[in-house]
Amino acid sequence: MALKPRLILAVAVAALAPTAVAQEIAPAEAGPADPELRRETITVTARRVSEDLQDVPIPVSVLTEDFIAESGAFNVGRLREIVPTLQFYSTNPRNTSINIRGVGAPYGLTNDGLDAGVGMYVDGVFYARPASTTLDFIDVSQIEVLRGPQGTLFGKNTTAGAINITTKKPSSTPETEVELTYGNLGYTQAKGAISGPITDKIAGRISFSGTQRDGTLYNVRDNDYINDLNNLGVRGQLLFNVTDSLEIILAGDHTRQRPNGYALVPVGVAPTLRPANRQYQALADYFGYAPPSFNAFDRLTDADTYHQSNQDIGGISLTANWDIGPGTLTSITAWRLWNWGPSNDRDFLGLPITTVSANPSEQTQWTQELRYAGDLSERLGFVAGAFYFAQEIDSTGNQEQGSAAARWLLNPSSAGWDTPGLLDGYGQRSDIQSKNTSAALFGQLEWRVTDRLRLLPGLRLNYDKKSVDYDAQVYGGLQTTNPALIALQRSVLAPLTYSADADDTNVSGQITAAYKVGPALNLYATYATAFKPVGLNLSGIPNDAAGNPAIELATVKPEDVRHIEVGLKSEPRDGFTANLTAYETEIRDYQVGVVNAQIGVLRGYLANAEKVRVRGVEFDGRAQWADNFVTYAALAWTEGKYVAFPDAPPALEDTGGPQVVDISGTRLPGISEWSGSVGGEYTSGESALLGREGNYFAALDAFFRSDFSSSPTESRYLTVDGYTTLAGRLGFRAANGWDVYLWGRNLLDEDYFELLAAQPGNSGLYVGQPADPRTYGITLRARF
């Protein structure tokens, strides 16, 4: 029986390291004795037309269904280990940052008042909330990761890139797919889909995914594991083949997550410039307290506040594709919701400092995109579109202090700080109402000047309007009329009421020149302008010297982006690719998260850094040595720094000194200077397992990154060391549609951090998020 050999294929990478892609390929027409290796074609739609990946004049990485499944990349967070150009940081679903080439979102606490710099699209629907990236992929057929500004091709403006996810459509023939996985740490995952015709003109598909895993941290206080996984999602689609030229897809999805997480653990203590009696050791000694361990990889916590990260995300969409005239008219109408119900221990210790920290939120969004794409002639292609986005955010918050808060947060030299009950039960409730609307016109031309030269100009006109009503009131604690005691309470949590609105109109665009030197060499160069829309602080703002809200800080200026990129994509011989990219991105009024250095402030706010710059050079290559053996390797150098940021917050070790410092010339957080990957896969000839024909396969992938800053202002204590991880798969692919394989991730069981952060309260304590230990398991997939 003729079998379909498969291989892992590295594709164009434009950021920190290569992308590995699993691609099923048809048997070669040449006979076994033919020494030539056949050239594979991967089709992408990143530019709204179908084209060969090696001909696309933008840096884009593609992951297909099989590789996503076999590599265990069941959400965007796992993609960072496959697509290192994609940085993903998350202390819980809401506090999730997605960056490409180190830019896209502020590093640290998420603020709903900012737009994403990296857009996430599922079947053309824009997902506004970063929390969506923590969802399990459901029935995915392909993922495209695009680098650089994408405002002239996508509905929502994105300055750093886009993640374009395509799910499987309903089929006109019956299909069933099942995938079952079991691993250590109690890991279980089940996925399935069933599809088929309902009538001659209507087909349906329903799919689901469920994932559970035990926690990776042990809470010695509750004798229970936390930071677990508990996800369940479902997606349904109806495909209406109205005519030969018109199809309509109605889709709906809902995902429910109920993890007991996510906690950080103590890592160390930094000496600060505060008086000795206000630093961590003196504070801990006062209470006779010690955490269960300062070795984060003991994975122990004694958190005394319950952790949960409950979220529900879902929506419906109606997509119409109508072939009319010289192109295809696409309409995508969608409504989505996100309900967030958290609980956290914001002091990260078993002391009653902050006993309640919960900021639940309900968010809804409407989007409408109209897009027309096609060819006006043999020489001229086009994409033209209009986009509308409306979002409403209703958030409530509750923070409450405990009996240890006064000594931990107040200056002992302040008269009355030790008044019994001063902060015990003292809290703040907030009510935040926000609206965000955006409208845009966008388009791009492709002028095929000659058979070799193409020019691709694009333009975008965007309008954004945002408003916020913020009301926070205090309660509890010692009831007193003493002005000095009230002032101490309000140095920790204070009433705060303000309203703000902002609107902005921006014009941006790009020009790309692509030149085909020969059949195996393509060159391209791009100059682009872009912007991230105006922002609003939705998590509170500091008071001015008079004690009034500093209303000027409620608005955050839009980012102004200038981007230059040059690259080549080459195939020096059949089965080999070598791609090189160099770029520089300069951003004025870069939107960052900062922390007010005044005593006791527990949350940060948004501000603008005057200017930042990110630049890099990236190489990736792939070598198909035979039809059944392929290797890939990639290396990237990336430099990101604040060109000018004269009014930044101090580093952790400088707490207690000047509240504003100049950090111009220092590196941006979250960016590793060096990153890369190497790997490959070997597939056997025709073999058999339990009497079934098929192929054995073995694959090994390594990823590395150098150290990176884990704080908006670089600190020698908040630098995450570089690390290397190893993943592998060993299994059998049967010819009749089922696979079984063993897999492992972090095979060397390396101890490394996802991120480090300072404990609120400026004690000098810093905490970390240990990465997952070694995991392994077995997966069975079947398609029939």
Side-chain angles (χ1 to χ4, degrees):
M1 170 181 256
L3 300 178
K4 293 182 178 180
R6 303 185 188 187
L7 52 88
I8 290 185
L9 175 64
V11 301
V13 173
L16 299 180
T19 300
V21 176
Q23 177 74 7
E24 183 173 304
I25 55 180
E29 295 181 1
D34 192 330
E36 285 195 6
L37 296 173
R38 183 189 27 74
R39 180 184 184 277
E40 308 79 36
T41 297
I42 296 179
T43 301
V44 297
T45 58
R47 298 195 310 116
R48 305 313 191 189
V49 293
S50 297
E51 55 191 330
D52 184 350
L53 180 64
Q54 285 295 102
D55 293 333
V56 179
I58 56 175
V60 55
S61 300
V62 181
L63 294 92
T64 59
E65 171 199 355
D66 289 334
F67 186 78
I68 293 168
E70 292 174 6
S71 64
F74 61 84
N75 61 24
V76 173
R78 293 288 175 89
L79 291 185
R80 64 183 166 181
E81 300 171 5
I82 304 168
V83 188
T85 55
L86 181 72
Q87 291 93 40
F88 177 92
Y89 306 101
S90 179
T91 54
N92 61 45
R94 181 172 191 166
N95 291 323
T96 297
S97 299
I98 314 161
N99 288 339
I100 289 178
R101 294 172 168 171
V103 296
Y107 192 89
L109 294 178
T110 296
N111 193 303
D112 294 332
L114 288 187
D115 287 46
V118 175
M120 179 172 166
Y121 296 83
V122 178
D123 292 336
V125 177
F126 174 67
Y127 284 32
R129 299 308 339 144
S132 301
T133 59
T134 66
L135 302 181
D136 289 4
F137 295 140
I138 302 178
D139 220 8
V140 169
S141 64
Q142 183 165 289
I143 299 175
E144 301 168 6
V145 181
L146 292 77
R147 277 81 178 163
Q150 302 297 326
T152 64
L153 288 171
F154 285 79
K156 194 71 174 75
N157 182 58
T158 53
T159 57
I163 303 170
N164 190 28
I165 299 173
T166 304
T167 67
K168 297 179 184 177
K169 288 183 178 182
S171 62
S172 57
T173 56
E175 292 180 355
T176 302
E177 301 179 17
V178 178
E179 179 180 315
L180 301 173
T181 298
Y182 178 76
N184 65 326
L185 299 178
Y187 181 82
T188 56
Q189 186 176 73
K191 293 184 177 183
I194 185 169
S195 183
I198 298 175
T199 70
D200 291 343
K201 294 288 187 178
I202 304 174
R205 188 177 188 93
I206 187 166
S207 46
F208 73 91
S209 175
T211 304
Q212 291 193 352
R213 190 202 65 192
D214 296 340
T216 56
L217 297 183
Y218 185 72
N219 191 329
V220 299
R221 178 179 294 272
D222 299 333
N223 295 318
D224 193 16
Y225 285 94
I226 62 175
N227 291 17
D228 57 7
L229 295 176
N230 187 343
N231 307 334
L232 183 63
V234 63
R235 180 178 180 84
Q237 300 180 75
L238 288 174
L239 171 62
F240 300 88
N241 291 302
V242 182
T243 68
D244 291 341
S245 60
L246 174 62
E247 72 169 22
I248 297 175
I249 300 177
L250 176 64
D253 67 278
H254 185 267
T255 294
R256 175 186 184 272
Q257 292 188 325
R258 295 294 184 270
N260 184 1
Y262 290 92
L264 306 182
V265 295
V267 175
V269 177
T272 71
L273 302 180
R274 302 175 85 188
N277 65 354
R278 303 208 58 208
Q279 299 195 40
Y280 171 82
Q281 197 56 57
L283 297 171
D285 289 347
Y286 179 87
F287 293 102
Y289 172 80
S293 176
F294 265 113
N295 180 356
F297 299 101
D298 287 339
R299 302 180 186 273
L300 299 176
T301 180
D302 60 350
D304 57 347
T305 298
Y306 180 71
H307 278 80
Q308 71 176 32
S309 295
N310 296 349
Q311 64 172 336
D312 291 270
I313 298 181
I316 56 175
S317 64
L318 185 68
T319 301
N321 294 299
W322 186 18
D323 295 332
I324 180 173
T328 299
L329 178 64
T330 299
S331 172
I332 305 174
T333 306
W335 174 86
R336 298 200 61 77
L337 65 84
W338 178 52
N339 292 335
W340 169 241
S343 177
N344 304 285
D345 190 331
R346 287 285 295 144
D347 57 57
F348 309 113
L349 298 176
L351 287 172
I353 303 170
T354 301
T355 55
V356 176
S357 180
N359 294 275
S361 184
E362 297 181 1
Q363 303 186 19
T364 57
Q365 69 171 66
W366 279 98
T367 56
Q368 174 63 57
E369 181 171 350
L370 287 173
R371 186 175 67 246
Y372 191 45
D375 286 320
L376 296 174
S377 68
E378 289 186 3
R379 294 292 185 186
L380 192 62
F382 69 94
V383 176
F387 181 77
Y388 177 76
F389 170 81
Q391 180 184 46
E392 292 190 3
I393 303 174
D394 182 5
S395 299
T396 57
N398 189 17
Q399 289 192 176
E400 188 171 303
Q401 308 307 125
S403 58
R407 177 65 185 92
W408 201 273
L409 300 175
L410 299 178
N411 190 336
S413 65
S414 301
W417 75 271
D418 56 350
T419 302
L422 181 64
L423 293 181
D424 195 2
Y426 180 70
Q428 182 191 68
R429 294 191 181 97
S430 59
D431 183 15
I432 309 163
Q433 308 289 327
S434 178
K435 293 183 178 180
N436 176 10
T437 58
S438 178
L441 299 173
F442 61 93
Q444 184 169 296
L445 296 175
E446 180 176 4
W447 178 25
R448 305 168 192 111
V449 182
T450 69
D451 291 342
R452 293 177 180 267
L453 176 64
R454 292 180 289 164
L455 296 179
L456 298 93
L459 194 66
R460 181 183 185 90
L461 173 64
N462 208 91
Y463 173 75
D464 293 277
K465 183 177 181 180
K466 297 181 179 182
S467 64
V468 59
D469 291 309
Y470 185 100
D471 180 33
Q473 302 299 325
V474 296
Y475 67 90
L478 179 67
Q479 301 302 300
T480 178
T481 58
N482 186 321
L485 297 182
I486 293 174
L488 286 175
Q489 290 177 328
R490 297 192 175 183
S491 70
V492 175
L493 296 171
L496 178 62
T497 301
Y498 65 94
S499 296
D501 58 72
D503 59 22
D504 188 59
T505 300
N506 290 87
V507 177
S508 60
Q510 70 157 62
I511 178 70
T512 296
Y515 187 74
K516 193 175 188 68
V517 178
L521 179 60
N522 293 306
L523 306 177
Y524 65 89
T526 297
Y527 174 75
T529 64
F531 66 93
K532 189 195 286 188
V534 63
L536 288 178
N537 270 299
L538 301 191
S539 296
I541 55 178
N543 290 330
D544 58 22
N548 300 313
I551 197 65
E552 71 277 5
L553 297 178
T555 302
V556 184
K557 298 177 185 177
E559 292 184 355
D560 183 5
V561 181
R562 298 290 184 270
H563 176 79
I564 299 174
E565 182 148 7
V566 295
L568 66 84
K569 297 183 177 183
S570 69
E571 297 175 88
R573 53 167 290 187
D574 287 346
F576 287 71
T577 61
N579 302 319
L580 186 68
T581 304
Y583 67 90
E584 180 172 288
T585 303
E586 185 177 277
I587 306 175
R588 294 185 180 273
D589 295 320
Y590 182 67
Q591 296 169 347
V592 297
V594 299
V595 177
N596 190 324
Q598 72 186 53
I599 295 173
V601 173
L602 300 185
R603 297 190 67 83
Y605 64 99
L606 299 173
N608 292 104
E610 186 174 326
K611 184 178 177 181
V612 305
R613 183 184 67 219
V614 179
R615 58 188 178 187
V617 179
E618 302 140 351
F619 167 81
D620 78 279
R622 186 263 309 178
Q624 182 184 333
W625 304 100
D627 279 344
N628 62 346
F629 180 53
V630 65
T631 59
Y632 73 86
L635 180 67
W637 170 79
T638 309
E639 178 194 71
K641 69 176 183 179
Y642 296 104
V643 177
F645 195 3
D647 52 354
L652 171 63
E653 58 268 29
D654 295 327
T655 301
Q659 295 190 13
V660 174
V661 296
D662 186 347
I663 61 170
S664 302
T666 63
R667 63 175 172 171
L668 290 172
I671 298 178
S672 295
E673 183 178 9
W674 293 97
S675 182
S677 63
V678 61
E681 179 176 294
Y682 174 79
T683 304
S684 73
E686 293 190 13
S687 305
L689 177 65
L690 300 177
R692 293 165 174 83
E693 293 183 329
N695 303 83
Y696 289 94
F697 70 95
L700 197 63
D701 305 292
F703 165 68
F704 74 91
R705 66 181 300 186
S706 60
D707 68 277
F708 63 92
S709 169
S710 186
S711 173
T713 296
E714 188 173 2
S715 164
R716 61 181 177 272
Y717 295 97
L718 300 179
T719 295
V720 175
D721 292 336
Y723 57 86
T724 299
T725 61
L726 193 65
R729 301 170 297 285
L730 177 66
F732 184 81
R733 299 186 183 109
N736 61 355
W738 64 267
D739 307 337
V740 61
Y741 55 91
L742 302 171
W743 53 266
R745 300 178 64 249
N746 190 12
L747 289 172
L748 302 180
D749 201 20
E750 179 163 358
D751 291 337
Y752 66 97
F753 290 105
E754 304 280 5
L755 56 83
L756 298 171
Q759 181 209 37
N762 301 324
S763 71
L765 176 70
Y766 57 99
V767 295
Q769 183 179 58
D772 287 350
R774 178 170 48 228
T775 56
Y776 49 88
I778 185 170
T779 295
L780 174 66
R781 301 171 65 200
R783 296 171 292 279
F784 48 90

